[in-house]
Amino acid sequence: MKTKESKAATYLCIGIVLSFALTIFKTLILDRYPFYNIAVSFGMTLVIGIVIGLVVPFDLIFASECRRHNFNSSSFPTKMLFSLIADAIFTPLMTIPMVFFNYLIPNKEVAGQGNLILDLIIGVFAGCAVAYPFILLLILIFSKIGNKKNT
């Protein structure tokens, strides 16, 4: 059984890794932001990811969904469901502020920034697609570590 501290560490790790991955992905897909915007975006999403990891009651959400779908807590479909839930919570809350920040920053290198609504839609959906495998991988790694500690 995982302790409360190890679960919190899992959620914090997810927030940190997603912050880095989404910032890099957003930079690669849009390829129009200078380094200082990337650094500020990473810092902003890092803070958001840590706050989400500490504040959101993942255990309650996850337990209710497992009961609702009759999943065993250690099965692969359960880990996929948890990844989907974490992705649905983390990614929009990290992507939307990052898109707003990058859209509102005036700089000469980003002339003709495009449509904010379109950037938000693309950012959230593409971010969810990129974040899901990262979250699933982290969940699988942490469950392996937890299983080794329990044996």
Side-chain angles (χ1 to χ4, degrees), residues 66-101:
C66 280
R67 279 192 304 273
R68 189 168 142 204
H69 297 289
N70 293 326
F71 283 155
N72 179 2
S73 64
S74 62
S75 67
F76 186 71
T78 303
K79 291 175 176 70
M80 291 176 65
L81 176 67
F82 179 79
S83 299
L84 186 65
I85 291 168
D87 190 19
I89 293 170
F90 272 107
T91 305
L93 293 176
M94 294 170 90
T95 303
I96 291 171
M98 184 172 30
V99 170
F100 270 119
F101 171 76

Side-chain angles (χ1 to χ4, degrees), residues 48-68:
I48 292 169
I50 290 172
V51 169
I52 292 170
L54 292 173
V55 172
V56 174
F58 283 102
D59 292 338
L60 297 175
I61 296 168
F62 181 61
S64 70
E65 287 300 314
C66 280
R67 279 192 304 273
R68 189 168 142 204

Side-chain angles (χ1 to χ4, degrees), residues 108-122:
K108 296 173 188 169
E109 299 166 11
V110 190
Q113 290 180 336
N115 185 353
L116 176 63
I117 301 300
L118 185 62
D119 281 352
L120 283 171
I121 292 169
I122 291 171

Side-chain angles (χ1 to χ4, degrees), residues 3 7 17 28-29 32 41 43 46-47 53 57 59 63-64 71 107 115 117 134 150:
T3 64
K7 287 181 181 180
V17 169
L28 292 175
I29 197 170
R32 60 182 187 203
S41 288
L46 181 65
V47 169
D59 292 338
S64 70
F71 283 155
N107 67 52
N115 185 353
I117 301 300
F134 279 104
N150 290 335

